[in-house]
Amino acid sequence: MPETSPPEVVPTAEHYDVVVIGGGPGGYATALYGASAGLNVAMIEKGKLGGTCLNVGCIPAKELLETAAAYVHVTEAGDYGITAGEASIDWSTSLARKDKIVGGLVSGLGSLLKGRKVTVLDGHGRLHAGKRVSVSGGSSGDVELTGDAVVLAPGSVPRTLPGFDVDGKVVMTSDEFLSIAELPKSAAIIGGGVIGCEFASLLTDLGTKVTVLEALPKILPGLDKDLTKVIEKSFKARGMEIRTGVTVEGHSPSGSGTTVHVGGEGLDVDVVVVSVGRRPNTDDLGLDGTAVTISDRGFIEVDELCRTGEPGVWAVGDAIATPALAHIGFIEGVIAIQGILGEDPAPVDYAKVPWAVYCRPEAAFTGLSEEAAKEAGYEVVTQKSRFNHNGRAMIVNQPEGMVKVIAEKGADGRAGTILGVHMVGPWVTEQLGQGYLAVNWEATVDDMAALIQPHPTLTEVLGEAMLSLTGRPLHG
Ligand code: FAD
């Protein structure tokens, strides 16, 4: 038989080193990091660049929270001897500011991608056998791409509740709330998680009567119980009602608002914000003829390095069952690219990632709470150091809150390795960094107590907590 040479491969589709489906934090971090490493990357986005985070998540939520913070500063001007008149708010200006910041970041992301020569396609991406990706339904037309590797980053969408059809006027999710046309006089927030508490805090500060309805025994699960108490106390002192351990049964529209049925009672409100978490956006990803699997809860199944069951296909961000946070999407994108490059990335230790909650007072934590550490079988030593003894906290007029350090008890009975750092108080979302390093480098209390905190700063409270745990407090 004559020797036959293999058939020539005729390219039928545009080929890339990496094809990314989804342009939110998970997808765009994959694309940017891949391009930085010299890879030829295509990224497909069916909605807006930046995904949930930039358009209807982190950024608009924090901008509106800052509006609330500015309002509170004005109401406190008298404490500094400043006469500012009665504070009032033009909500449309605040919304315009929010939209401007979002627009600036989205267009900045577009420029960044362009600068790194990432090919961005507008349309719905679907994965097929052989790492073929079809794109359709958008301005890029019907296109087919192939990749040496494919990264799935389709993100998540808000969960809804039976009996609460979203109309965007009376019943809304975070998507609609972040563009709410006017501030309601009263609101029920269903769900006391991070997003629910941020919305509840900002509305309360801007004068809305807020009731938080939470099915669990406590708001903000994951945060140490002692710190949740600080937040609850502050919320209640500002007039918010928090009802935990309750089930909402439905609602009956009445006039321009509605009556929420909860625990056999009626709660009359102008708006209901359903904030009961998010679900992975994995319903229409193709996947025919591939070994990518989706769990019962809708998540793309991956190993500890974000690899799906299909060789050469990774998945990152909210669509996999890891903490639904933008910075987790970023690091998973980095890990996926390192894996694609054949490097040896370290898996993320998801029990030690940083969490930040931007309500007033802010909360930030990493590692185990005291309850979780004990449940995990640790003997612990803890220290709570308060902001009300801290000069800078007094100066910025925000003395409420504390830093709680949870350390493993050593054989000598002293505090040893730091297991968790949980903080509530002024700007703690900006202060968590040292705690994050301590927990992830498995630093001991002695390691941390030797470090110098600049004076006067809010981080001195963390330093005091570490010194106290050595048995020799300075100020605290
Ligand atoms: P997404 O951001 O959801 O992006 C996925 C993108 O993929 C979307 O743009 C979607 O249109 C696109 N897409 C989906 N399927 C396809 C397809 N088949 N073809 C083409 N495109 C597709 N996280 C924080 O870390 N800090 C915060 O302060 C914070 N605040 C938040 C506040 C709110 C109100 C909300 C809702 C979320 C917040 N988050 C926060 C969470 C954060 O927004 C998400 O974790 C993050 O956006 C997830 O990134 P992702 O890329 O996985 O998904």
Side-chain angles (χ1 to χ4, degrees), residues 21-24 43-52 55 106 120-125 136-139 154 281:
I21 299 182
M43 190 183 85
I44 306 152
E45 170 55 56
K46 66 177 179 179
K48 291 185 182 156
L49 283 184
T52 303
N55 297 287
V106 171
V120 177
L121 292 112
D122 173 46
H124 190 116
S136 60
S139 63
N281 188 13

Side-chain angles (χ1 to χ4, degrees), residues 10 28 163 180 228 248 252 271 304 320 391 397 443 460:
V10 181
Y28 79 68
I180 191 168
T228 308
V248 287
S252 312
V271 299
E304 76 286 1
I320 65 173
N397 221 18
E460 286 178 283

Side-chain angles (χ1 to χ4, degrees), residues 21-28 44-54 56-59 61-62 123-126 153-157 174-175 178 195 198-199 278 281 284-285 316-319 323-329 356 358:
I21 299 182
Y28 79 68
I44 306 152
E45 170 55 56
K46 66 177 179 179
K48 291 185 182 156
L49 283 184
T52 303
C53 168
L54 258 53
V56 282
C58 325
I59 297 297
K62 265 84 266 188
H124 190 116
R126 291 181 184 85
S156 63
V157 291
S174 54
D175 283 357
L178 290 167
I195 296 171
E198 289 187 355
F199 291 173
R278 299 179 61 82
N281 188 13
D284 190 9
L285 276 179
V316 301
D318 281 12
L325 294 166
H327 45 277
I328 300 302
Y358 296 77

Side-chain angles (χ1 to χ4, degrees), residues 1 13-14 38 50 64 97-98 132 172 176 187 206 236 281 297 315 317-318 366 387 391 395 426 434 441:
M1 285 216 0
E14 219 170 316
L64 296 180
R97 181 174 191 271
K98 181 252 323 174
R132 276 184 310 113
M172 54 192 82
E176 297 78 25
L206 294 173
K236 287 178 182 167
N281 188 13
R297 294 167 59 218
D318 281 12
T366 183
F387 281 102
I395 292 164
Q434 294 190 48
W441 272 335

Side-chain angles (χ1 to χ4, degrees), residues 71-417:
Y71 186 87
V72 171
H73 286 317
V74 174
T75 62
E76 291 174 350
D79 294 353
Y80 300 83
I82 298 168
T83 308
E86 199 181 327
S88 67
I89 180 161
D90 173 1
W91 186 242
S92 61
T93 304
S94 175
L95 287 182
R97 181 174 191 271
K98 181 252 323 174
D99 289 340
K100 193 170 166 204
I101 290 171
V102 168
L105 287 170
V106 171
S107 74
L109 175 60
S111 306
L112 202 54
L113 289 159
K114 199 170 169 195
R116 301 253 177 104
K117 302 202 171 6
V118 173
T119 302
V120 177
L121 292 112
D122 173 46
H124 190 116
R126 291 181 184 85
L127 175 67
H128 311 282
K131 286 176 276 176
R132 276 184 310 113
V133 176
S134 61
V135 184
S136 60
S139 63
S140 298
D142 290 353
V143 190
E144 193 168 272
L145 315 176
T146 52
D148 287 341
V150 175
V151 180
L152 305 172
S156 63
V157 291
R159 279 187 201 283
T160 48
L161 271 183
F164 288 87
D165 291 339
V166 174
D167 63 4
K169 290 193 172 69
V170 174
V171 178
M172 54 192 82
T173 68
S174 54
D175 283 357
E176 297 78 25
F177 175 75
L178 290 167
S179 294
I180 191 168
E182 54 188 61
L183 285 167
K185 290 203 167 48
S186 59
I189 311 272
I190 304 180
V194 172
I195 296 171
C197 282
E198 289 187 355
F199 291 173
S201 179
L202 91 85
L203 282 177
T204 298
D205 280 343
L206 294 173
T208 301
K209 170 69 192 150
V210 173
T211 307
V212 175
L213 304 170
E214 168 58 56
L216 294 174
K218 139 185 191 303
I219 59 168
L220 293 173
L223 182 65
D224 190 279
K225 206 159 50 184
D226 284 330
L227 284 79
T228 308
K229 278 187 201 151
V230 176
I231 293 186
E232 275 184 358
K233 191 172 162 201
S234 171
F235 279 1
K236 287 178 182 167
R238 279 144 59 201
M240 193 192 300
E241 200 180 326
I242 302 172
R243 296 174 64 182
T244 51
V246 295
T247 313
V248 287
E249 290 117 21
H251 76 110
S252 312
S254 53
S256 60
T258 193
T259 304
V260 179
H261 306 299
V262 51
E265 292 170 19
L267 173 68
D268 296 330
V269 288
D270 292 340
V271 299
V272 179
V273 186
V274 179
S275 184
V276 291
R278 299 179 61 82
R279 69 173 175 80
N281 188 13
T282 53
D283 298 343
D284 190 9
L285 276 179
L287 309 183
D288 46 298
T290 76
V292 176
T293 52
I294 305 283
S295 73
D296 293 347
R297 294 167 59 218
F299 292 105
I300 303 170
E301 292 181 310
V302 289
D303 67 7
E304 76 286 1
L305 293 177
C306 301
R307 293 174 295 205
T308 69
E310 176 77 10
V313 178
W314 276 254
V316 301
D318 281 12
I320 65 173
T322 56
L325 294 166
H327 45 277
I328 300 302
F330 295 152
I331 191 68
E332 288 170 346
V334 169
I335 285 176
I337 290 295
Q338 290 176 343
I340 289 165
L341 290 168
E343 295 171 356
D344 188 21
V348 175
D349 185 346
Y350 290 106
K352 295 179 178 172
V353 303
W355 289 82
V357 191
Y358 296 77
C359 55
R360 182 163 76 94
E362 289 187 350
F365 61 99
T366 183
L368 299 173
S369 64
E370 182 177 352
E371 308 90 270
K374 285 179 176 165
E375 268 169 36
Y378 288 104
E379 263 203 87
V380 296
V381 185
T382 64
Q383 168 66 29
K384 292 182 258 185
S385 294
R386 292 173 200 279
F387 281 102
N388 61 5
H389 302 302
N390 174 273
R392 191 80 198 282
M394 291 178 201
I395 292 164
V396 299
N397 221 18
Q398 296 180 55
E400 73 186 332
M402 63 166 90
V403 173
K404 180 168 176 181
V405 178
I406 298 103
E408 185 175 10
K409 191 187 248 182
D412 56 2
R414 295 180 67 238
T417 305

